[in-house]
Amino acid sequence: MSVLTYPNPSAISLSIRASAFVFEDEKSKALLEHINLLAPRELNVLIIGDSGTGKELVARSIHQLSHRRNGPFLAINCGALSESLIESELFGHERGAFTGAQFAKKGWFEAANGGTLFLDEIGDLPLAMQVKLLRVLQEREVVRVGSYKPIPIDVRLVAATNVKLDEAVRAGRFREDLYYRLNVAALRLPPLRERSGDILPLAEYFLKFYSDRLGCGDVVLSDQAKKALILHSWPGNIRELENVIHHALLIVKDKRVSPEDLKLSDFRAKAPDGRDDLSTLDEIGLLFKRLLDEGDSSLYEKVEHELLKAAFEHSQFNQLLTARVLGLSRHVLRARLIRHDLLGKVLKNIKQRASLDNGKSEVIHSYYTPRTIGNSFESYVAVRQTAEIEENADWWGY
């Protein structure tokens, strides 16, 4: 299993960043191939991904696979910089450049000379700083605050964002020229819910890492816990998964993690269009993707069976109403009910109930037709015989 980690993951704060990245899912394997292609080339890279997907880990991997691996790798979060000091932080300042500047200081670009500078959340840069960053990338030199002397630099820039920069450009929050300068080589990190093949390998990795760190011994995930992990939407991505496993090890009792130990959050993932909530259909779509990743060749039959069963029960076993709910003709619906053995099971249930109440069950009426067929047992027998004849007919021609 290919795993990306920090040089000293024990020193990494869980609340700040994801500390591991695996490449087991097909989407992750494709991402790894893309990283291996881009890393040796001297191109600026833009990493796009939700918070907690491991953008800094990917940036570090790009640095380690490049010719700059022996140079420095420096990471800075643009959103954490004070707007009044951001120019000084990035480009440095001279002594006396502003109140409190008692000494000259290198900026992040100078400090990363010969290596790689990772600018996380670059979409949070003020427009004024975007202009100056663009000039640095074009001229390959910086000018410290309080100086007029340009200083040549040799730095590869890797930027990251969790916002759609193209939309920010259209909204006037991000410069178009800087966007194209950064977007020479782009890497998109899918959220964890879209690469479900990575969930269990990551969980096992964190389980082993924190078991050793906490002295818990050999702790395993129960089958129910594994299923819960796969079905969770992971709005916090790898960072959330890491926190969940860490917390589970603090409260597990019998060295076997149960779903109750996981304490999964109730927060819902963001929808594809950026809304805070996923619609029911969005959630179903995500669930389908996870089921498809399991490689079950009978998935279509199982899904159709459950949909028919739910609609049939919702319509009180009334075929006409069920057909309307699903947007099917009654004949097509009946054929599918027969194929999934749902019609026969309902008939059996009705026979049992009819023998108990002398054929007066309301289910009889709702099952066969919305029309009232009478309350006598003779009426039930007549309708039952007709239904049994129809059940054995070939309805696929309708």
Side-chain angles (χ1 to χ4, degrees), residues 34-325:
H34 202 181
I35 291 173
N36 290 332
L37 286 173
L38 294 179
R41 294 169 171 78
E42 289 293 313
L43 296 171
N44 296 327
V45 178
L46 178 63
I47 303 174
I48 305 165
D50 293 346
S51 179
T53 50
K55 296 189 290 296
E56 185 174 337
L57 281 168
V58 171
R60 286 179 179 271
S61 177
I62 292 171
H63 173 71
Q64 290 299 324
L65 293 171
S66 73
H67 304 300
R68 298 174 178 268
R69 66 178 67 89
N70 295 323
F73 176 89
L74 300 180
I76 182 170
N77 189 326
C78 297
L81 294 175
S82 167
E83 189 167 348
S84 60
L85 296 176
I86 190 170
E87 183 177 2
S88 170
E89 290 290 332
L90 289 177
F91 311 129
H93 64 259
E94 297 291 349
R95 178 181 177 182
F98 51 83
T99 303
Q102 299 179 0
F103 306 97
K105 177 187 174 183
K106 289 183 178 181
W108 287 93
F109 273 92
E110 281 187 76
N113 202 37
T116 303
L117 178 62
F118 174 58
L119 294 183
D120 196 7
E121 308 304 347
I122 196 166
D124 292 339
L125 273 181
L127 284 170
M129 281 300 99
Q130 293 177 29
V131 176
K132 295 182 178 181
L133 175 59
L134 178 63
R135 182 172 180 81
V136 169
L137 296 178
Q138 290 173 339
E139 304 297 332
R140 311 295 294 179
E141 60 185 24
V142 296
V143 177
R144 294 180 181 179
V145 177
S147 173
Y148 297 98
K149 180 182 177 181
I151 302 173
I153 56 168
D154 176 24
V155 174
R156 182 183 191 178
L157 182 68
V158 178
T161 179
N162 63 359
V163 300
K164 296 180 179 179
L165 290 185
D166 54 345
E167 293 183 0
V169 169
R170 289 194 290 270
R173 298 191 305 271
F174 201 84
R175 290 185 61 91
E176 184 176 6
D177 46 7
L178 178 58
Y179 170 70
Y180 289 120
R181 172 70 66 172
L182 295 173
N183 199 33
V184 176
L187 288 172
R188 180 183 180 273
L189 273 58
L192 190 56
R193 63 182 177 272
E194 291 184 9
R195 44 189 174 97
S196 56
D198 290 342
I199 293 175
L200 292 184
L202 273 170
E204 297 288 355
Y205 170 82
F206 291 133
L207 194 69
K208 176 67 168 59
F209 176 81
Y210 286 107
S211 292
D212 294 343
R213 185 173 173 179
L214 299 172
C216 298
D218 295 329
V219 181
V220 298
L221 295 167
S222 68
D223 291 340
Q224 294 81 3
K226 290 179 180 179
K227 184 176 181 180
L229 290 172
I230 292 174
L231 294 179
H232 187 58
S233 63
W234 299 112
N237 295 294
I238 299 173
R239 183 189 304 160
E240 180 187 2
L241 174 59
E242 184 171 356
N243 290 340
V244 164
I245 297 299
H246 188 194
H247 181 265
L249 286 169
L250 296 175
I251 63 175
V252 67
K253 296 179 180 178
D254 56 358
K255 295 187 180 298
R256 190 176 184 83
V257 177
S258 68
E260 292 72 25
D261 296 326
L262 296 174
K263 305 297 182 183
L264 297 174
S265 68
D266 294 329
F267 295 119
R268 302 174 73 185
K270 287 187 177 181
D273 60 2
R275 290 177 291 108
D276 290 335
D277 295 329
L278 284 172
S279 69
T280 302
L281 286 178
D282 289 331
E283 291 178 337
I284 292 174
L286 292 175
L287 179 59
F288 281 163
K289 290 179 181 178
R290 295 176 194 141
L291 292 173
L292 287 168
D293 287 337
E294 296 177 6
D296 188 348
S297 59
S298 61
L299 178 60
Y300 182 86
E301 287 293 317
K302 291 178 180 178
V303 170
E304 185 178 60
H305 178 88
E306 293 302 320
L307 178 59
L308 287 169
K309 181 181 176 183
F312 207 21
E313 292 175 352
H314 175 75
S315 302
Q316 298 294 312
F317 306 106
N318 183 303
Q319 294 178 52
L320 187 58
L321 293 180
T322 305
R324 288 175 180 171
V325 167

